[in-house]
Amino acid sequence: MDACLAGVLALPPLDPLWDHDGDGGDAAYSEELFADTLGALQELLKTLLQRSLTPHGLQDMFAHLGPWIKSSKQHERQRAVELSAALLDFYLGRLNVSVSLHQWDRLCVLLSSQCHPSAVRVCPSAVLVPS
């Protein structure tokens, strides 16, 4: 799992001005390819979580995502927070469990700690409340 996370989350940020052959189509293709790749990673993580759909299984997922959520690189944090929010939404949508206030507080602190002025793009993902 760590290799998959590193292979996607550590990719450099997309450059909207990048154009390999000068025809203007490379940036859109790169964005689509990255979105597909991130979506595949999200589905993989959901499948792994589904195998252990317990509080411990969710905690294991966040243990793997934790270093990325705390990354010094904004694009890595943003991607990790988006994945975390999707996993949390998936988890909460499948279970009828109560989460202790202490556990919820720790998760909120971890995600919201990434909301600061230099992380404008991370903040909206970190404060999403699953429906």
Side-chain angles (χ1 to χ4, degrees), residues 69-109:
I69 292 171
K70 298 173 188 174
S71 171
S72 63
K73 298 178 181 173
Q74 180 178 335
H75 67 279
E76 292 177 356
R77 286 193 314 269
Q78 178 184 356
R79 295 168 182 170
V81 167
E82 288 172 358
L83 283 173
S84 299
L87 286 175
L88 185 57
D89 186 48
F90 175 81
Y91 178 80
L92 292 175
R94 305 264 174 320
L95 288 181
N96 186 15
V97 298
S98 60
V99 178
S100 76
L101 186 57
H102 175 71
Q103 291 170 321
W104 187 252
D105 284 348
R106 287 186 64 202
L107 181 59
C108 288
V109 166

